[in-house]
Amino acid sequence: MNRRQFVGAASIAGVALSAPEASAKGRRVGRSDVTRFGERVAELRRLDDYQGGASVYPLALDEIRKLSTLAGSGTFTQAVGRELLSTLAELHQFASWTAFDAGKLERAKKLAQAAATAANQAGNRTLAATALSELSYLTASSKEPDESVAMAKASLVNAGTAVLPVVRVVLADRLAWACARTGDAHGVSRALGIVEDSHDRRDGIEEDEPDSVYWINRDESQIMAGRCWAELHDKRAVPILEQLSAPYDDTHAREMALYAGWLAGSYVDAEDLDAATSSARKAVELSHQTASPRTDAMLKDTLKRFESHRDHAGVRDLLASAQL
């Protein structure tokens, strides 16, 4: 395990590394350092929940630089080196998410690729699979989603049969989204079946789960199901999203804005314009409380769907207040 491996993973993502500080040169790096960086990425995940990716993205890049500099200039055992490389992969994966939320899609893809590279070098099969699934999600969310399904399927294969059920939930959720974005309703149904089975398996075991999936639960998966059917303009979206009590309060402004926006679009499809305008108005208000260009772009697209309904008084008021 040497500096080249750490610098290589970072450089794939275009993250410039500063030269090692003289005080750090040759320092013995141990598991306490791994723990410290692991705790830091967990803190940043929670911060992202409240503030949005545009605020947290620079902080994630800074942690990548710190870890890369420390590992590239210090000495450590082979076992600690693998743990450091896995932590570097986690940081790249998290930075990828914040870059995406900040509206930097191409940088987000590079960071996800770097995460997969570092995880594979560390021999962390599960982390490599989740990094690939994140790349699938990013690709599915782009204007050219065609390759996303193959990536999502590959992430499930790469994870293997021994992967924790909660991780399989995340991988299958992202496969469902990729299928939705490519117009494959049958694929969505199959992927959601894997999700449900994995949740059932998760309920039957008591095992420590990685912090990277702390946010996943059945409500989140139901929201993904609703999103998928909404993407396909399928009438199943409304009852799924309506029956959910949103798993967050308004302090999680980004998640609540996204949720309300997806529900608004589903109501437009169902031609329930009163409910659609109410949900859209809430989404717009919440979006002002978070730094998430991704959310802003989604809501802008959602509001455009109201254009053909300007004869409705509530729609006119909504579009006027949004300056559309």
Side-chain angles (χ1 to χ4, degrees), residues 279-290:
S279 192
R281 189 171 289 109
K282 180 177 182 181
V284 171
E285 290 171 356
L286 287 167
S287 71
H288 296 154
Q289 301 174 31
T290 186

Side-chain angles (χ1 to χ4, degrees), residues 115-163:
T117 297
N120 279 318
Q121 289 176 348
N124 191 328
R125 189 172 180 179
T126 295
L127 188 54
T130 58
L132 181 58
S133 79
E134 182 156 327
L135 184 58
S136 165
Y137 184 83
L138 298 173
T139 304
S141 302
S142 72
K143 294 179 180 179
E144 299 178 351
D146 292 349
E147 294 183 13
S148 61
V149 173
M151 292 177 186
K153 289 180 177 177
S155 74
L156 280 162
V157 172
N158 195 38
T161 57
V163 70

Side-chain angles (χ1 to χ4, degrees), residues 2-42:
N2 53 47
R3 177 174 173 79
R4 182 176 298 177
Q5 289 176 295
F6 291 91
V7 174
S11 63
I12 289 172
V15 178
L17 300 181
S18 59
E21 297 178 7
S23 60
K25 189 171 184 178
R27 181 169 87 76
R28 187 69 173 176
V29 181
R31 284 198 166 85
S32 62
D33 296 295
V34 176
T35 299
R36 176 164 52 87
F37 278 99
E39 290 172 347
R40 178 57 174 159
V41 72

Side-chain angles (χ1 to χ4, degrees), residues 237-266:
V238 169
I240 290 175
L241 294 174
E242 271 188 333
Q243 73 182 359
L244 286 170
S245 55
Y248 303 106
D249 59 29
D250 285 2
T251 61
H252 289 69
R254 178 185 61 202
E255 275 66 33
M256 290 298 292
L258 289 166
Y259 177 80
W262 295 324
L263 184 56
S266 298

Side-chain angles (χ1 to χ4, degrees), residues 103-117:
K104 303 176 185 294
L105 179 59
E106 291 308 312
R107 175 55 65 86
K109 288 181 179 180
K110 290 181 180 179
L111 285 160
Q113 289 168 343
T117 297

Side-chain angles (χ1 to χ4, degrees), residues 28 192 226 262 296 317:
R28 187 69 173 176
L192 293 179
W262 295 324
D296 297 339
D317 290 344

